[in-house]
Amino acid sequence: MTYIDGFVIACPTANRDAFIAHARMGDAVFIELGALRVVECWGDDVPDGHTTDFRRAVKAESDESVLFSWIEWPDKATRDAAMARMTEMMTDPAKADPRMDPAKNPMPFDGKRLIFGGFVPVVDMTA
């Protein structure tokens, strides 16, 4: 069964084009490492909640938009191998990939407020 990595991000609204360029470059690496699909979504209808909400979860400021993204993997083993390879790309100069270099592909958002996690699908329905 597939495995999903999910992300919620606060990104300055003015950085929308920079985010899209950053995502296209980095997401290509995920696909090359075995991801089936990567989806990056820019918040359009993200309401304030009574107890909690997406904006509060990432401490979004008034000039920021909330993004919701996911990566679909064929299985957890493929995802784990890809994440290990990506770590090598960022830490081992001999295996470096410029798409993963923060100097060449800087994050246009505050990575400290990025929320992420891995998920096992329990219901998967299509039309």
Side-chain angles (χ1 to χ4, degrees):
M1 180 176 264
T2 59
Y3 192 80
I4 307 295
D5 278 320
F7 309 86
V8 180
I9 306 164
C11 183
T13 303
N15 289 355
R16 187 176 194 272
D17 291 340
F19 174 81
I20 292 168
H22 169 80
R24 285 191 174 146
M25 190 179 296
D27 292 351
V29 177
F30 291 121
I31 296 296
E32 289 171 18
L33 295 176
L36 301 173
R37 182 177 182 207
V38 181
V39 179
E40 305 281 2
C41 304
W42 195 267
D44 176 62
D45 184 12
V46 183
D48 293 336
H50 294 291
T51 304
T52 191
D53 56 48
F54 282 114
R55 294 191 67 76
R56 280 187 269 189
V58 292
K59 298 182 179 179
E61 301 290 333
S62 61
D63 64 340
E64 293 180 317
S65 294
V66 176
L67 288 64
F68 178 72
S69 307
W70 70 90
I71 304 170
E72 182 178 351
W73 300 96
D75 51 52
K76 189 171 190 292
T78 302
R79 179 268 205 165
D80 290 349
M83 292 303 172
R85 177 71 180 104
M86 290 187 73
T87 298
E88 289 176 344
M89 289 178 182
M90 293 185 289
T91 59
D92 184 344
K95 298 178 180 178
D97 185 314
R99 297 170 295 179
M100 301 309 297
D101 182 345
K104 294 181 176 133
N105 187 18
M107 288 192 301
F109 55 87
D110 180 1
K112 294 177 190 159
R113 291 184 287 141
L114 178 147
I115 297 173
F116 64 93
F119 300 86
V120 175
V122 294
V123 175
D124 187 346
M125 206 179 290
T126 58

PDB file of all heavy atoms in Angstrom, residues 98-121:
ATOM      1  N   PRO A  98      22.745  19.900  -6.568  1.00  0.00           N
ATOM      2  CA  PRO A  98      22.503  21.340  -6.432  1.00  0.00           C
ATOM      3  C   PRO A  98      21.041  21.694  -6.160  1.00  0.00           C
ATOM      4  O   PRO A  98      20.756  22.725  -5.559  1.00  0.00           O
ATOM      5  CB  PRO A  98      22.970  21.911  -7.767  1.00  0.00           C
ATOM      6  CG  PRO A  98      23.111  20.764  -8.688  1.00  0.00           C
ATOM      7  CD  PRO A  98      23.312  19.538  -7.849  1.00  0.00           C
ATOM      8  N   ARG A  99      20.116  20.830  -6.539  1.00  0.00           N
ATOM      9  CA  ARG A  99      18.704  21.104  -6.268  1.00  0.00           C
ATOM     10  C   ARG A  99      18.384  21.049  -4.786  1.00  0.00           C
ATOM     11  O   ARG A  99      17.392  21.609  -4.333  1.00  0.00           O
ATOM     12  CB  ARG A  99      17.817  20.123  -7.036  1.00  0.00           C
ATOM     13  CG  ARG A  99      17.953  20.262  -8.547  1.00  0.00           C
ATOM     14  CD  ARG A  99      17.270  19.149  -9.272  1.00  0.00           C
ATOM     15  NE  ARG A  99      17.927  17.876  -8.990  1.00  0.00           N
ATOM     16  CZ  ARG A  99      17.532  16.702  -9.470  1.00  0.00           C
ATOM     17  NH1 ARG A  99      16.471  16.639 -10.247  1.00  0.00           N
ATOM     18  NH2 ARG A  99      18.185  15.601  -9.165  1.00  0.00           N
ATOM     19  N   MET A 100      19.242  20.365  -4.020  1.00  0.00           N
ATOM     20  CA  MET A 100      19.026  20.241  -2.580  1.00  0.00           C
ATOM     21  C   MET A 100      19.931  21.188  -1.790  1.00  0.00           C
ATOM     22  O   MET A 100      19.914  21.185  -0.567  1.00  0.00           O
ATOM     23  CB  MET A 100      19.284  18.795  -2.143  1.00  0.00           C
ATOM     24  CG  MET A 100      18.390  17.776  -2.833  1.00  0.00           C
ATOM     25  SD  MET A 100      16.633  18.171  -2.753  1.00  0.00           S
ATOM     26  CE  MET A 100      16.351  18.103  -1.008  1.00  0.00           C
ATOM     27  N   ASP A 101      20.700  22.012  -2.482  1.00  0.00           N
ATOM     28  CA  ASP A 101      21.627  22.951  -1.854  1.00  0.00           C
ATOM     29  C   ASP A 101      20.868  24.230  -1.500  1.00  0.00           C
ATOM     30  O   ASP A 101      20.379  24.927  -2.398  1.00  0.00           O
ATOM     31  CB  ASP A 101      22.770  23.253  -2.825  1.00  0.00           C
ATOM     32  CG  ASP A 101      23.817  24.179  -2.245  1.00  0.00           C
ATOM     33  OD1 ASP A 101      23.559  24.823  -1.202  1.00  0.00           O
ATOM     34  OD2 ASP A 101      24.903  24.256  -2.842  1.00  0.00           O
ATOM     35  N   PRO A 102      20.761  24.559  -0.206  1.00  0.00           N
ATOM     36  CA  PRO A 102      20.027  25.764   0.186  1.00  0.00           C
ATOM     37  C   PRO A 102      20.575  27.051  -0.450  1.00  0.00           C
ATOM     38  O   PRO A 102      19.832  28.006  -0.632  1.00  0.00           O
ATOM     39  CB  PRO A 102      20.176  25.807   1.705  1.00  0.00           C
ATOM     40  CG  PRO A 102      20.523  24.412   2.098  1.00  0.00           C
ATOM     41  CD  PRO A 102      21.259  23.817   0.936  1.00  0.00           C
ATOM     42  N   ALA A 103      21.847  27.051  -0.813  1.00  0.00           N
ATOM     43  CA  ALA A 103      22.411  28.246  -1.465  1.00  0.00           C
ATOM     44  C   ALA A 103      21.911  28.377  -2.900  1.00  0.00           C
ATOM     45  O   ALA A 103      21.776  29.482  -3.423  1.00  0.00           O
ATOM     46  CB  ALA A 103      23.935  28.179  -1.437  1.00  0.00           C
ATOM     47  N   LYS A 104      21.626  27.244  -3.553  1.00  0.00           N
ATOM     48  CA  LYS A 104      21.179  27.264  -4.945  1.00  0.00           C
ATOM     49  C   LYS A 104      19.664  27.162  -5.092  1.00  0.00           C
ATOM     50  O   LYS A 104      19.105  27.536  -6.112  1.00  0.00           O
ATOM     51  CB  LYS A 104      21.860  26.138  -5.713  1.00  0.00           C
ATOM     52  CG  LYS A 104      23.361  26.365  -5.817  1.00  0.00           C
ATOM     53  CD  LYS A 104      24.050  25.280  -6.587  1.00  0.00           C
ATOM     54  CE  LYS A 104      25.514  25.643  -6.723  1.00  0.00           C
ATOM     55  NZ  LYS A 104      26.414  24.610  -6.437  1.00  0.00           N
ATOM     56  N   ASN A 105      19.010  26.602  -4.077  1.00  0.00           N
ATOM     57  CA  ASN A 105      17.555  26.476  -4.089  1.00  0.00           C
ATOM     58  C   ASN A 105      17.031  26.824  -2.694  1.00  0.00           C
ATOM     59  O   ASN A 105      16.574  25.951  -1.956  1.00  0.00           O
ATOM     60  CB  ASN A 105      17.132  25.063  -4.505  1.00  0.00           C
ATOM     61  CG  ASN A 105      15.626  24.940  -4.694  1.00  0.00           C
ATOM     62  OD1 ASN A 105      14.918  25.924  -4.834  1.00  0.00           O
ATOM     63  ND2 ASN A 105      15.128  23.718  -4.683  1.00  0.00           N
ATOM     64  N   PRO A 106      17.133  28.109  -2.311  1.00  0.00           N
ATOM     65  CA  PRO A 106      16.747  28.488  -0.947  1.00  0.00           C
ATOM     66  C   PRO A 106      15.254  28.333  -0.691  1.00  0.00           C
ATOM     67  O   PRO A 106      14.435  28.508  -1.588  1.00  0.00           O
ATOM     68  CB  PRO A 106      17.161  29.963  -0.868  1.00  0.00           C
ATOM     69  CG  PRO A 106      17.171  30.430  -2.279  1.00  0.00           C
ATOM     70  CD  PRO A 106      17.547  29.240  -3.117  1.00  0.00           C
ATOM     71  N   MET A 107      14.933  27.979   0.556  1.00  0.00           N
ATOM     72  CA  MET A 107      13.526  27.870   0.943  1.00  0.00           C
ATOM     73  C   MET A 107      12.946  29.277   1.036  1.00  0.00           C
ATOM     74  O   MET A 107      13.491  30.115   1.751  1.00  0.00           O
ATOM     75  CB  MET A 107      13.379  27.168   2.297  1.00  0.00           C
ATOM     76  CG  MET A 107      13.656  25.691   2.257  1.00  0.00           C
ATOM     77  SD  MET A 107      13.148  24.826   3.770  1.00  0.00           S
ATOM     78  CE  MET A 107      14.104  25.646   5.013  1.00  0.00           C
ATOM     79  N   PRO A 108      11.845  29.560   0.333  1.00  0.00           N
ATOM     80  CA  PRO A 108      11.239  30.886   0.390  1.00  0.00           C
ATOM     81  C   PRO A 108      10.247  31.020   1.551  1.00  0.00           C
ATOM     82  O   PRO A 108       9.307  31.798   1.499  1.00  0.00           O
ATOM     83  CB  PRO A 108      10.541  30.992  -0.967  1.00  0.00           C
ATOM     84  CG  PRO A 108      10.175  29.591  -1.298  1.00  0.00           C
ATOM     85  CD  PRO A 108      11.275  28.726  -0.722  1.00  0.00           C
ATOM     86  N   PHE A 109      10.451  30.222   2.600  1.00  0.00           N
ATOM     87  CA  PHE A 109       9.588  30.221   3.775  1.00  0.00           C
ATOM     88  C   PHE A 109      10.426  29.841   4.978  1.00  0.00           C
ATOM     89  O   PHE A 109      11.573  29.412   4.845  1.00  0.00           O
ATOM     90  CB  PHE A 109       8.415  29.237   3.602  1.00  0.00           C
ATOM     91  CG  PHE A 109       8.850  27.832   3.276  1.00  0.00           C
ATOM     92  CD1 PHE A 109       9.162  26.930   4.273  1.00  0.00           C
ATOM     93  CD2 PHE A 109       8.956  27.421   1.959  1.00  0.00           C
ATOM     94  CE1 PHE A 109       9.576  25.639   3.973  1.00  0.00           C
ATOM     95  CE2 PHE A 109       9.366  26.132   1.640  1.00  0.00           C
ATOM     96  CZ  PHE A 109       9.677  25.246   2.658  1.00  0.00           C
ATOM     97  N   ASP A 110       9.877  30.000   6.157  1.00  0.00           N
ATOM     98  CA  ASP A 110      10.568  29.672   7.406  1.00  0.00           C
ATOM     99  C   ASP A 110      10.413  28.175   7.680  1.00  0.00           C
ATOM    100  O   ASP A 110       9.361  27.717   8.110  1.00  0.00           O
ATOM    101  CB  ASP A 110       9.973  30.494   8.542  1.00  0.00           C
ATOM    102  CG  ASP A 110      10.626  30.220   9.884  1.00  0.00           C
ATOM    103  OD1 ASP A 110      11.568  29.401   9.963  1.00  0.00           O
ATOM    104  OD2 ASP A 110      10.183  30.838  10.874  1.00  0.00           O
ATOM    105  N   GLY A 111      11.482  27.423   7.417  1.00  0.00           N
ATOM    106  CA  GLY A 111      11.451  25.976   7.594  1.00  0.00           C
ATOM    107  C   GLY A 111      11.209  25.535   9.025  1.00  0.00           C
ATOM    108  O   GLY A 111      10.766  24.407   9.260  1.00  0.00           O
ATOM    109  N   LYS A 112      11.442  26.401   9.995  1.00  0.00           N
ATOM    110  CA  LYS A 112      11.207  26.041  11.398  1.00  0.00           C
ATOM    111  C   LYS A 112       9.725  25.890  11.709  1.00  0.00           C
ATOM    112  O   LYS A 112       9.362  25.270  12.693  1.00  0.00           O
ATOM    113  CB  LYS A 112      11.821  27.094  12.317  1.00  0.00           C
ATOM    114  CG  LYS A 112      13.328  27.143  12.248  1.00  0.00           C
ATOM    115  CD  LYS A 112      13.859  28.250  13.121  1.00  0.00           C
ATOM    116  CE  LYS A 112      15.343  28.435  12.840  1.00  0.00           C
ATOM    117  NZ  LYS A 112      15.806  29.750  13.243  1.00  0.00           N
ATOM    118  N   ARG A 113       8.874  26.482  10.855  1.00  0.00           N
ATOM    119  CA  ARG A 113       7.431  26.387  11.090  1.00  0.00           C
ATOM    120  C   ARG A 113       6.757  25.383  10.161  1.00  0.00           C
ATOM    121  O   ARG A 113       5.535  25.301  10.123  1.00  0.00           O
ATOM    122  CB  ARG A 113       6.791  27.772  10.946  1.00  0.00           C
ATOM    123  CG  ARG A 113       7.210  28.702  12.072  1.00  0.00           C
ATOM    124  CD  ARG A 113       6.507  30.030  11.996  1.00  0.00           C
ATOM    125  NE  ARG A 113       7.047  30.807  10.889  1.00  0.00           N
ATOM    126  CZ  ARG A 113       6.309  31.561  10.087  1.00  0.00           C
ATOM    127  NH1 ARG A 113       5.006  31.652  10.241  1.00  0.00           N
ATOM    128  NH2 ARG A 113       6.870  32.245   9.120  1.00  0.00           N
ATOM    129  N   LEU A 114       7.537  24.627   9.424  1.00  0.00           N
ATOM    130  CA  LEU A 114       7.011  23.576   8.555  1.00  0.00           C
ATOM    131  C   LEU A 114       6.596  22.394   9.431  1.00  0.00           C
ATOM    132  O   LEU A 114       7.355  21.974  10.299  1.00  0.00           O
ATOM    133  CB  LEU A 114       8.097  23.159   7.562  1.00  0.00           C
ATOM    134  CG  LEU A 114       7.767  22.040   6.591  1.00  0.00           C
ATOM    135  CD1 LEU A 114       8.494  22.302   5.284  1.00  0.00           C
ATOM    136  CD2 LEU A 114       8.160  20.692   7.127  1.00  0.00           C
ATOM    137  N   ILE A 115       5.401  21.890   9.211  1.00  0.00           N
ATOM    138  CA  ILE A 115       4.928  20.702   9.931  1.00  0.00           C
ATOM    139  C   ILE A 115       4.923  19.556   8.930  1.00  0.00           C
ATOM    140  O   ILE A 115       4.468  19.717   7.793  1.00  0.00           O
ATOM    141  CB  ILE A 115       3.500  20.912  10.480  1.00  0.00           C
ATOM    142  CG1 ILE A 115       3.485  22.043  11.496  1.00  0.00           C
ATOM    143  CG2 ILE A 115       2.964  19.622  11.097  1.00  0.00           C
ATOM    144  CD1 ILE A 115       2.085  22.421  11.947  1.00  0.00           C
ATOM    145  N   PHE A 116       5.442  18.404   9.329  1.00  0.00           N
ATOM    146  CA  PHE A 116       5.471  17.274   8.409  1.00  0.00           C
ATOM    147  C   PHE A 116       5.311  15.973   9.178  1.00  0.00           C
ATOM    148  O   PHE A 116       5.519  15.917  10.382  1.00  0.00           O
ATOM    149  CB  PHE A 116       6.770  17.248   7.597  1.00  0.00           C
ATOM    150  CG  PHE A 116       8.005  17.051   8.435  1.00  0.00           C
ATOM    151  CD1 PHE A 116       8.522  15.790   8.659  1.00  0.00           C
ATOM    152  CD2 PHE A 116       8.638  18.137   9.020  1.00  0.00           C
ATOM    153  CE1 PHE A 116       9.646  15.605   9.443  1.00  0.00           C
ATOM    154  CE2 PHE A 116       9.763  17.968   9.797  1.00  0.00           C
ATOM    155  CZ  PHE A 116      10.274  16.698  10.010  1.00  0.00           C
ATOM    156  N   GLY A 117       4.937  14.945   8.443  1.00  0.00           N
ATOM    157  CA  GLY A 117       4.823  13.625   9.038  1.00  0.00           C
ATOM    158  C   GLY A 117       4.532  12.591   7.977  1.00  0.00           C
ATOM    159  O   GLY A 117       4.125  12.923   6.865  1.00  0.00           O
ATOM    160  N   GLY A 118       4.769  11.336   8.324  1.00  0.00           N
ATOM    161  CA  GLY A 118       4.492  10.218   7.434  1.00  0.00           C
ATOM    162  C   GLY A 118       3.202   9.529   7.851  1.00  0.00           C
ATOM    163  O   GLY A 118       2.937   9.386   9.043  1.00  0.00           O
ATOM    164  N   PHE A 119       2.423   9.104   6.848  1.00  0.00           N
ATOM    165  CA  PHE A 119       1.097   8.564   7.120  1.00  0.00           C
ATOM    166  C   PHE A 119       0.824   7.294   6.319  1.00  0.00           C
ATOM    167  O   PHE A 119       1.189   7.204   5.149  1.00  0.00           O
ATOM    168  CB  PHE A 119       0.022   9.606   6.766  1.00  0.00           C
ATOM    169  CG  PHE A 119       0.149  10.874   7.554  1.00  0.00           C
ATOM    170  CD1 PHE A 119       0.998  11.887   7.128  1.00  0.00           C
ATOM    171  CD2 PHE A 119      -0.558  11.042   8.727  1.00  0.00           C
ATOM    172  CE1 PHE A 119       1.132  13.057   7.856  1.00  0.00           C
ATOM    173  CE2 PHE A 119      -0.439  12.219   9.459  1.00  0.00           C
ATOM    174  CZ  PHE A 119       0.413  13.225   9.021  1.00  0.00           C
ATOM    175  N   VAL A 120       0.145   6.355   6.953  1.00  0.00           N
ATOM    176  CA  VAL A 120      -0.303   5.130   6.300  1.00  0.00           C
ATOM    177  C   VAL A 120      -1.765   5.324   5.925  1.00  0.00           C
ATOM    178  O   VAL A 120      -2.609   5.584   6.790  1.00  0.00           O
ATOM    179  CB  VAL A 120      -0.160   3.925   7.256  1.00  0.00           C
ATOM    180  CG1 VAL A 120      -0.725   2.666   6.634  1.00  0.00           C
ATOM    181  CG2 VAL A 120       1.288   3.736   7.669  1.00  0.00           C
ATOM    182  N   PRO A 121      -2.101   5.247   4.630  1.00  0.00           N
ATOM    183  CA  PRO A 121      -3.506   5.382   4.240  1.00  0.00           C
ATOM    184  C   PRO A 121      -4.369   4.279   4.860  1.00  0.00           C
ATOM    185  O   PRO A 121      -3.960   3.110   4.896  1.00  0.00           O
ATOM    186  CB  PRO A 121      -3.476   5.252   2.727  1.00  0.00           C
ATOM    187  CG  PRO A 121      -2.073   5.607   2.336  1.00  0.00           C
ATOM    188  CD  PRO A 121      -1.221   5.122   3.475  1.00  0.00           C
TER     189      PRO A 121
END
